[in-house]
Amino acid sequence: MENLEKQLICPICLEMFTKPVVILPCQHNLCRKCANDVFQASNPYLPTRSGSVTSGGRFRCPSCRHEVVLDRHGVYGLQRNLLVENIIDMFKQESSSSKPAPQQKEETPMCDVHEEEKINIYCVTHGVPTCSMCKVFGAHKDCEVAPISSVYQTKKTELSDGIAMMVGNNDRMQGIISQLEEACRAIEENGRRQKTQVCEKFDQLYSILEERKREMSQKVTAEQEEKVNYIRGLTRKYGDHLEESCKIVEMGIQTMEEPEMALFLQNTKPLLKKITEASSTAHLDKVERGYESMDHYTVDFKKEGKALRSIDFIQ
């Protein structure tokens, strides 16, 4: 049926022949209307009556370029091809019985150049729909054309494939977007985890520094207390010695006031001995110069500071 349908296509309108069908001397067939359009386009200056040529003329067959000479009846003088018309009728009946009724088509747009011609063919060369007159005598006469129905199906298939491809691309893009969003969430979570680890490492470093500071402070405090206790003990010894000396001085003053010489001499001997003993401080410790200094606990953190400033992540 498809091969038969191809044989029933008019070379002008590229649709199935419309009755009446005329047969040219070269045995090619045309719709009478298409033959009349070709004839009028080839003989634009011949007089017409009601849109039909009434005098003789000539035109070339669009299939084989054979020159067709018409008599005074014009295209109405060409013989009808009843066989082709009957075949068309049988084909349409067979098609209508075997196929569901086609949906009503929208009105076919008209050609901008030939206003009375429907746009019924497709110019493959320029990629635009056009009419059969544009193919025969117009801007597309040297172009490759195809039936608009076949191009329609091809383009519709291409568009459907393109839409399917775009839908697939959109799905892939959505997948990529989802992956990127997941990557953002993973980066944020990993960043929080790493910052927590960094803070923990620095907290450990702080604890080590605090421990060392406490130990060094305790060492300084221990020596400080030791020295202070020693000085205070020495101070008490000197205080006791001073107090004893003051008592001896009072005793000496009282002895000086003794009027009785024998008694004075009797008391003077032990008193002079005490004065001699009290005047000596050899038994008391002496504080060495610089004993109070604590400068030997000086610390220098230049090296450690440099190390701390060089802290970085392990590469």
Side-chain angles (χ1 to χ4, degrees):
M1 293 294 288
E2 292 180 358
N3 292 332
L4 178 60
E5 183 178 6
K6 292 179 181 179
Q7 299 300 321
L8 301 178
I9 296 298
C10 175
I12 298 298
C13 62
L14 296 179
E15 295 180 355
M16 189 173 292
F17 289 115
T18 303
K19 293 192 299 183
V21 180
V22 295
I23 182 170
L24 303 181
C26 58
Q27 301 304 310
H28 290 116
N29 298 290
L30 290 175
C31 305
R32 178 180 287 175
K33 180 181 180 303
C34 293
N36 193 43
D37 292 340
V38 174
F39 180 70
Q40 290 186 44
S42 301
N43 303 272
Y45 300 108
L46 289 179
T48 60
R49 184 177 63 193
S50 301
S52 300
V53 177
T54 57
S55 59
R58 61 186 62 199
F59 68 94
R60 291 190 178 278
C61 173
S63 298
C64 65
R65 309 306 294 167
H66 178 78
E67 187 175 57
V68 179
V69 180
L70 302 179
D71 58 16
R72 62 186 180 85
H73 297 291
V75 295
Y76 290 92
L78 294 173
Q79 184 179 0
R80 291 177 61 178
N81 195 333
L82 298 178
L83 176 61
V84 173
E85 293 181 7
N86 291 333
I87 293 174
I88 291 174
D89 290 339
M90 290 187 293
F91 179 82
K92 289 183 177 179
Q93 290 177 4
E94 182 68 21
S95 299
S96 61
S97 62
S98 60
K99 296 181 180 180
Q103 296 181 353
Q104 185 177 1
K105 297 183 179 179
E106 297 182 357
E107 184 178 355
T108 305
M110 308 302 290
C111 178
D112 293 336
V113 179
H114 307 92
E115 297 179 355
E116 296 181 355
E117 295 293 327
K118 293 181 179 179
I119 295 178
N120 52 12
I121 60 175
Y122 188 83
C123 176
V124 179
T125 304
H126 294 95
V128 293
T130 184
C131 73
S132 20
M133 294 302 295
C134 289
K135 164 59 182 169
V136 178
F137 303 105
H140 302 282
K141 63 181 179 179
D142 297 325
C143 299
E144 179 185 356
V145 296
I148 198 167
S149 58
S150 63
V151 177
Y152 165 79
Q153 291 298 332
T154 301
K155 295 300 180 183
K156 192 172 183 179
T157 301
E158 290 180 3
L159 180 59
S160 176
D161 294 342
I163 291 173
M165 182 181 67
M166 289 301 298
V167 170
N169 288 338
N170 291 344
D171 291 341
R172 284 190 292 274
M173 291 295 291
Q174 184 60 48
I176 292 173
I177 291 173
S178 299
Q179 291 177 358
L180 293 175
E181 291 176 347
E182 181 62 28
C184 285
R185 289 191 289 269
I187 291 172
E188 291 174 351
E189 178 61 28
N190 292 338
R192 284 192 292 268
R193 183 170 61 251
Q194 293 306 118
K195 284 190 287 187
T196 301
Q197 292 181 1
V198 169
C199 292
E200 290 176 354
K201 295 293 184 181
F202 273 90
D203 289 341
Q204 293 175 3
L205 184 60
Y206 298 154
S207 64
I208 294 173
L209 292 174
E210 287 291 338
E211 179 64 24
R212 293 299 298 149
K213 182 178 71 173
R214 184 167 55 254
E215 291 176 358
M216 295 175 70
S217 296
Q218 289 175 352
K219 191 171 184 180
V220 173
T221 301
E223 184 168 338
Q224 170 191 326
E225 292 177 352
E226 180 183 356
K227 287 187 175 182
V228 168
N229 291 335
Y230 173 74
I231 295 298
R232 286 177 179 171
L234 196 58
T235 301
R236 284 195 297 273
K237 289 181 180 180
Y238 274 91
D240 294 342
H241 186 78
L242 177 60
E243 184 178 359
E244 184 65 23
S245 296
C246 291
K247 291 179 179 180
I248 293 174
V249 170
E250 290 179 358
M251 290 175 60
I253 293 173
Q254 291 176 0
T255 302
M256 290 290 294
E257 294 176 352
E258 179 61 46
E260 180 61 37
M261 290 184 291
L263 187 59
F264 173 80
L265 292 174
Q266 185 180 358
N267 294 331
T268 299
K269 184 177 179 179
L271 184 60
L272 289 174
K273 183 178 179 182
K274 289 181 178 180
I275 290 173
T276 300
E277 292 175 355
S279 298
S280 176
T281 58
H283 64 286
L284 298 175
D285 294 336
K286 304 293 188 297
V287 178
E288 297 178 0
R289 178 177 297 181
Y291 179 78
E292 70 280 5
S293 175
M294 302 288 285
D295 293 343
H296 52 284
Y297 287 109
T298 301
V299 292
D300 183 4
F301 290 133
K302 290 182 180 180
K303 181 172 145 183
E304 289 77 6
K306 184 178 180 181
L308 289 174
R309 281 189 291 270
S310 65
I311 290 177
D312 200 352
F313 296 103
I314 298 175
Q315 300 299 324

